[in-house]
Amino acid sequence: MDGSVGFVSGSWVGSSGAVGVGSVSSTWLCDRDGARVAVKPRRGNTTIHMGGGIREMRNRITSVKNTQKITDAMRLVAAAKVRRAQDAVLRTRPFSETLQKVLGGLLLRIGNEVDDIPLLKQRPVKRVVIVSLTGDRGLCGSYNSYAIKKVESRIRELEAEGLEVGLVTVGKKGGTYFKRRRECRSEFLCGQAPSAKQATEITEELLAEYLSGEVDRIELVYTRFVSLIASEASVRTLLPLSPTGIETDKDEIFQLTTRGGKFTVETSEVPVAEAEKFPRDMIFEQEPQQMLSALLPLYLNGQVLRALQESVAAELAARMSAMSSASDNAKNLRKSLSVVYNRARQAAITQEIMEIVGGAAALE
């Protein structure tokens, strides 16, 4: 056995055809017949290690390329759904604005006489129900985990105050998580296209529990849409309603557009809807308090629908961001694997040439 020694810097090929990349040097010795005896390589901090040969590496590159196509397609699908969601919000705005104007006018008409309206009457709080809004699907980054952590944090705060806490889940992810840890009053699916019918089902059950006196306050934990790369888990009180909150309820409209070939969001703040001014001598067929009691459930239903739409928009934006990051990671991984693959092919070709040269020398 002579002293021929070979090195492969940056990538290595083991005796079984294993390929790797990193701070690695492979060493081999050649005998007089040109046969190569592999010596165990000295490996440093490897970043990628493939347990197969060149063919397996080529299959891996093809797999990563196909995965990148899938993540790109999911990102575009999420963007299309965001646009449909914002169109749905715009279609419901005229009704919401008109309802808010009428409610504001009725509140101005009755003044401070709100004690006879159950949904506006404040009462001592002993039992609280938290409505948790999460998604039905994953692959959306930390969207679901942030919402769940916010619910758990709020539950601990209320229990520390000595209050009895119940839970209503909207969304499969939150329902699956909390069902294994505590009793849930009700479970609803969230879906990708919230509708007024879906919001009505949730609102009717919440109203029934509140009006029957089973609970004293209902809070909603949802994810507020901020931008395509940011969202915020928020807590708001659904019941009892606040007259001040109805009169000063601002709104924002998010428009998903493209700029320079990239998705971007344009935000515009909608001013507060001015209260309808009813003439002093206007005669109502019913008392303003009765009309207000009939309209407040519609307002509550609109607030639940808006929270559902905003949570879905935040989920889709988080999915867009997650799929964009996955596509970028797949692209980088494919480049790294291509470098390893080319070095492995180069090492294999060099090895074959050396074997041919060694065999020719042995025949001389």
Side-chain angles (χ1 to χ4, degrees):
M1 191 173 286
D2 60 17
S4 299
V5 180
F7 297 96
V8 179
S9 177
S11 61
W12 55 271
V13 181
S15 58
S16 63
V19 180
V21 66
S23 178
V24 181
S25 62
S26 292
T27 307
W28 61 79
L29 300 176
C30 296
D31 58 15
R32 298 180 183 274
D33 297 331
R36 186 169 299 172
V37 180
V39 179
K40 185 177 181 180
R42 299 187 302 274
R43 307 175 189 174
N45 295 325
T46 59
T47 57
I48 300 177
H49 180 274
M50 295 295 295
I54 296 178
R55 181 178 299 175
E56 285 75 10
M57 177 69 72
R58 186 165 55 245
N59 294 337
R60 177 70 186 278
I61 293 175
T62 303
S63 176
V64 172
K65 184 177 180 180
N66 293 335
T67 301
Q68 182 182 358
K69 292 180 180 179
I70 294 173
T71 54
D72 280 335
M74 294 181 67
R75 180 177 64 89
L76 296 176
V77 169
K81 289 183 178 180
V82 168
R83 287 179 172 171
R84 287 201 295 267
Q86 73 184 17
D87 291 341
V89 173
L90 294 177
R91 287 195 301 269
T92 59
R93 279 209 56 80
F95 175 78
S96 300
E97 290 181 353
T98 303
L99 180 60
Q100 190 170 350
K101 289 180 181 179
V102 174
L103 289 175
L106 291 174
L107 288 172
L108 290 177
R109 185 65 178 266
I110 65 177
N112 296 325
E113 301 176 2
V114 297
D115 292 338
D116 296 334
I117 303 175
L119 298 183
L120 296 177
K121 184 178 181 180
Q122 301 290 332
R123 59 194 187 193
V125 178
K126 296 181 180 179
R127 293 176 296 273
V128 180
V129 166
I130 294 180
V131 182
S132 167
L133 260 64
T134 58
D136 292 338
R137 301 165 56 191
L139 297 177
C140 52
S142 57
Y143 167 79
N144 291 313
S145 61
Y146 278 170
I148 290 174
K149 289 179 181 178
K150 187 68 174 181
V151 173
E152 290 182 326
S153 174
R154 185 57 180 167
I155 290 176
R156 288 193 296 267
E157 292 176 2
L158 294 175
E159 290 179 343
E161 297 176 4
L163 300 178
E164 182 181 345
V165 181
L167 187 62
V168 174
T169 61
V170 180
K172 189 174 181 180
K173 289 295 182 179
T176 302
Y177 178 85
F178 287 110
K179 188 164 55 177
R180 297 195 299 263
R181 291 166 174 79
R182 62 187 301 129
E183 182 180 357
C184 298
R185 288 175 172 264
S186 303
E187 297 179 19
F188 299 92
L189 295 178
C190 183
Q192 296 291 302
S195 61
K197 180 180 179 182
Q198 180 183 5
T200 302
E201 293 177 358
I202 299 173
T203 304
E204 286 179 350
E205 180 160 343
L206 297 178
L207 282 174
E209 293 188 1
Y210 183 79
L211 295 176
S212 64
E214 296 181 10
V215 296
D216 302 315
R217 191 170 70 209
I218 298 178
E219 295 184 352
L220 176 67
V221 179
Y222 71 106
T223 304
R224 190 170 63 87
F225 181 83
V226 179
S227 66
L228 287 178
I229 59 175
S231 57
E232 180 183 356
S234 304
V235 181
R236 65 176 300 177
T237 300
L238 283 180
L239 292 172
L241 294 171
S242 172
T244 305
I246 296 175
E247 295 174 355
T248 62
D249 195 7
K250 293 184 179 180
D251 201 358
E252 287 182 335
I253 295 179
F254 301 93
Q255 291 284 346
L256 180 64
T257 60
T258 55
R259 183 179 301 168
K262 296 183 179 180
F263 290 109
T264 182
V265 173
E266 296 180 355
T267 306
S268 59
E269 185 171 322
V270 179
V272 180
E274 296 183 0
E276 188 75 22
K277 296 182 179 179
F278 299 113
R280 288 283 183 181
D281 56 351
M282 177 178 286
I283 300 175
F284 291 94
E285 185 175 349
Q286 295 179 339
E287 291 294 329
Q289 289 85 349
Q290 295 179 356
M291 297 177 61
L292 193 59
S293 299
L295 292 177
L296 284 177
L298 289 177
Y299 173 79
L300 181 63
N301 184 68
Q303 296 302 302
V304 172
L305 178 59
R306 175 60 192 269
L308 287 171
Q309 291 172 338
E310 193 164 354
S311 294
V312 169
E315 177 188 358
L316 294 173
R319 182 168 290 112
M320 286 178 58
S321 178
M323 293 301 101
S324 178
S325 299
S327 299
D328 294 340
N329 293 336
K331 182 179 180 180
N332 295 333
L333 179 59
R334 189 178 67 176
K335 289 182 179 179
S336 300
L337 291 176
S338 297
V339 172
V340 176
Y341 172 74
N342 293 331
R343 287 178 178 175
R345 288 183 66 244
Q346 182 181 7
I349 294 172
T350 304
Q351 178 180 352
E352 292 177 0
I353 293 175
M354 293 183 65
E355 289 176 352
I356 293 172
V357 172
L363 293 176
E364 293 179 356

